[in-house]
DNA sequence: GCCAATTAGGGGCATATGCCCATACTCTGG
DNA sequence: CCAGAGTATGGGCATATGCCCCTAATTGGC
């Protein structure tokens, strides 16, 4: 089977002859399955590219959000919401970053139940370093799928991520 | 901010005034970030819908693949490739399914290094049960985003998942 | 036929996510 | 001002994924 699917993998691909390299699931119609597969693939691409920085995709996303916040350092709850992450899960994900001194916690003076997450200088530096590698991954993906396609897909994914009708 | 983004979240959304509910990342351009967020959101939707069956998205995907294989029971390596999963990771994910008696392993007579994964009767039953719940999640997503849109997006995600240029 | 290179999995370890429950605060009605 | 409801996190536990290295088995070249 050739490299490209021309952007589409129709259902009838299921019935390709034996001997072909690829196997296609009997449930090619499942939206979440294809989403998760694509997510894993893309994550592999980015993680590999950013490996020299010691940051993975998730960690990069977190530092990115902290690096360019829209309205000052966020609380954990706010950060979890933006990242579409479970609050507990975010807590766990922040642990390694804290351990490495890339982020710090501060008690929120406005509400002492919550804590504010702030980027340290080390965190900023690491983010900048990873950013270079991140860019190369972006370019790789863009050139493989086409810039316009890539951007349109990303916008659609963002809409899904924040679509309250799915929550 | 209203519920819908009309399918697109343009970059300039970054500069919305303070007071709005949603925070948008300073790196709205990252493809893998939006992919992972959308993946988490969709996973939450499906996992919640399928919770009564005791199966999660990943497990459902695995059983689905085993339930309707294109060319007989796959080896672990084949299964990992179809699922765009790391082989070790697949091994770990299969453990709970084996423990519950939904799948079994058989030595591959053609190559005794590898093992073949087969669905048990209990596995088939469980899959059928989950399938009902899965369908409701599918419908929920389809009706929220539109059937044609959903299908087109899914096909594009499948193309990405199996695009060798990204491997 | 035999040994080197290759390949399939397993084990261990680390991060990624999510759920549930406990705890510490905050807020709102009397 | 206080009790009870509501909210922000933390801790514990389970699955999800991936990487690296080790062992078993296969394969290819001589």
């Amino acid at each position: 089977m050739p490299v490209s699917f021309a952007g589409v993998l129709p259902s009838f691909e299921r019935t390709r002859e034996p001997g072909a390299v690829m196997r296609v699931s009997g449930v090619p119609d499942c939206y979440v399955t294809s989403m998760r597969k694509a997510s894993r693939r893309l994550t592999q691409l980015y993680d590999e590219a950013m490996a020299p920085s010691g940051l993975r995709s998730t960690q990069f996303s977190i530092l990115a959000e902290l690096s360019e916040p829209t309205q000052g350092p966020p609380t954990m709850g706010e950060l979890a919401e933006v990242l579409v992450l479970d609050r507990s899960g975010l807590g766990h994900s922040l642990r390694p970053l804290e351990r490495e001194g890339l982020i710090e916690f501060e008690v929120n003076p406005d509400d002492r139940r919550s804590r504010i997450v702030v980027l340290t200088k080390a965190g900023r530096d690491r983010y900048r370093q990873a950013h270079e590698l991140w860019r190369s991954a972006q370019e790789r993906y863009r050139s493989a799928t086409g810039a316009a396609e890539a951007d349109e897909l990303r916008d659609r994914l963002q809409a899904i991520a924040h679509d309250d009708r799915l929550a």
Side-chain angles (χ1 to χ4, degrees), chain A:
Chain A
M1 185 170 282
V3 172
S4 168
F5 299 111
V8 177
L9 183 67
S11 295
F12 59 72
E13 282 291 351
R14 266 184 281 185
T15 59
R16 94 268 171 284
E17 318 70 70
V21 172
M22 210 183 70
R23 296 169 55 99
V24 176
S25 166
V27 190
D29 306 292
C30 181
Y31 302 121
V32 78
T33 298
S34 49
M35 178 75 82
R36 288 173 70 86
K37 287 181 185 178
S39 179
R40 286 192 284 260
R41 173 74 92 185
L42 217 47
T43 299
Q44 286 161 11
L45 170 65
Y46 279 76
D47 279 2
E48 186 189 338
M50 297 197 292
S53 75
L55 292 181
R56 308 206 192 162
S57 296
T58 299
Q59 303 180 323
F60 179 79
S61 298
I62 293 174
L63 294 191
E65 182 60 38
L66 295 176
S67 180
E68 305 174 48
T70 23
Q71 38 188 341
T75 63
M76 291 196 57
E78 288 170 337
L79 193 53
E81 190 182 343
V82 189
L83 296 171
V84 191
L85 257 175
D86 176 85
R87 283 152 195 253
S88 303
L90 173 63
H92 301 156
S93 293
L94 292 180
R95 214 67 55 83
L97 297 176
E98 183 193 20
R99 193 191 324 132
E100 291 195 63
L102 306 182
I103 62 167
E104 281 174 352
F105 298 103
E106 290 176 10
V107 173
N108 181 358
D110 296 331
D111 183 340
R112 284 183 354 215
R113 286 173 302 181
S114 69
R115 296 203 292 163
I116 290 175
V117 188
V118 295
L119 201 59
T120 63
K121 174 164 183 356
R124 256 188 300 284
D125 291 345
R126 188 76 86 80
Y127 174 63
R128 258 197 293 277
Q129 178 194 354
H131 198 278
E132 297 299 311
L133 302 167
W134 167 78
R135 186 147 39 206
S136 70
Q138 288 275 102
E139 286 310 320
R140 174 123 174 264
Y141 173 66
R142 280 171 80 81
S143 63
T145 68
E149 284 254 325
D151 287 355
E152 199 232 317
L153 176 60
R154 179 202 57 210
D155 292 340
R156 223 192 285 185
L157 292 173
Q158 284 184 0
I160 290 173
H162 299 288
D163 189 331
D164 292 326
R165 290 167 301 179
L166 303 176

